[in-house]
Amino acid sequence: MATSTVEADTRAHIVAVADELFYARGIQSVGMDEIRTGAGVSLKKLYAAFPGKEQLVAAVLTGRHEYWEHGIEQAVAAAATPRDRLLAMYDFLEQWFSDDTFRGCGFINAFGELGSTSPTVARIAREHKESFQEYVAGLAAEVVPDRVAAEELAAQLALLAEGAQTTAAIAGDSAPATHARRAAATLIDAATRA
């Protein structure tokens, strides 16, 4: 039991180090030896935990997905009304964009680097984006009772969030979250009047 806890802790540490390096510099520019050094583990231990770089990238993206879901869900849970819950997503984005380590969406970054050569990375990125779309659709259904209209609103709001992430990463500024929130409010209000 203690060995598996140590192994799980070592694995989590390797993922944290890899995530930091990949997110700051890109996946292809960081080698396994650099991750081994950063994590302070032997190459044997690194490859026992992750037989290849693709498995490590998958673990990093899984962690990013959990971080994303937790952050969005926390922001949404703090909002009082269905409309406010939809807008709370953009409050989370503004907080995230204000972090000094923000470098854009890790899934978009990974897909841009490896999506054409790694079916695993492409699948994980698509699943993450689909999961977010479904989550937003659930929130939109609380505001707009018509299923088709709610799905259309969800697609528009998710697209605003995606665009804000890319724009904020390039601009190095959190303002795109504010702009996206204002646009989202306009779209929500228009959908509820329709």
Side-chain angles (χ1 to χ4, degrees):
M1 179 101 161
T3 302
S4 64
T5 302
V6 170
E7 288 171 3
D9 290 347
T10 299
R11 186 176 165 88
H13 179 64
I14 292 167
V15 170
V17 168
D19 181 38
E20 186 177 322
L21 290 168
F22 290 162
Y23 192 59
R25 297 195 2 240
I27 296 167
Q28 292 179 332
S29 70
V30 176
M32 293 295 271
D33 193 52
E34 186 173 358
I35 293 165
R36 177 199 59 78
T37 301
V41 297
S42 67
L43 208 52
K44 181 179 178 181
K45 190 172 275 195
L46 175 63
Y47 281 107
F50 300 99
K53 192 172 184 180
E54 188 172 63
Q55 289 89 350
L56 181 54
V57 171
V60 165
L61 292 176
T62 297
R64 286 222 159 248
H65 178 74
E66 290 167 3
Y67 169 80
W68 170 262
E69 283 191 331
H70 178 72
I72 293 285
E73 288 170 0
Q74 263 191 322
V76 168
T81 68
R83 180 181 186 276
D84 290 343
R85 284 192 281 279
L86 278 170
L87 294 174
M89 296 184 302
Y90 303 97
D91 299 334
F92 166 73
L93 292 178
E94 184 173 18
Q95 178 186 5
W96 182 35
F97 298 170
S98 298
D99 187 308
D100 290 342
T101 65
F102 176 72
R103 300 287 180 270
C105 173
F107 294 89
I108 293 171
N109 297 348
F111 186 84
E113 277 194 77
L114 302 173
S116 64
T117 59
S118 171
T120 300
V121 169
R123 178 186 50 77
I124 292 169
R126 286 185 185 108
E127 287 173 356
H128 170 75
K129 298 303 180 182
E130 288 168 8
S131 171
F132 178 57
Q133 180 71 42
E134 289 169 11
Y135 182 73
V136 177
L139 295 174
E142 296 176 16
V143 176
V144 180
D146 179 73
R147 184 184 62 78
V148 173
E151 288 177 1
E152 177 68 19
L153 177 61
Q156 294 167 350
L157 298 178
L159 196 58
L160 281 173
E162 298 294 347
Q165 291 175 65
T166 302
T167 304
I170 292 168
D173 186 0
S174 66
T178 303
H179 300 308
R181 190 183 199 283
R182 287 185 192 137
T186 300
L187 289 169
I188 293 165
D189 293 343
T192 55
R193 284 193 304 269

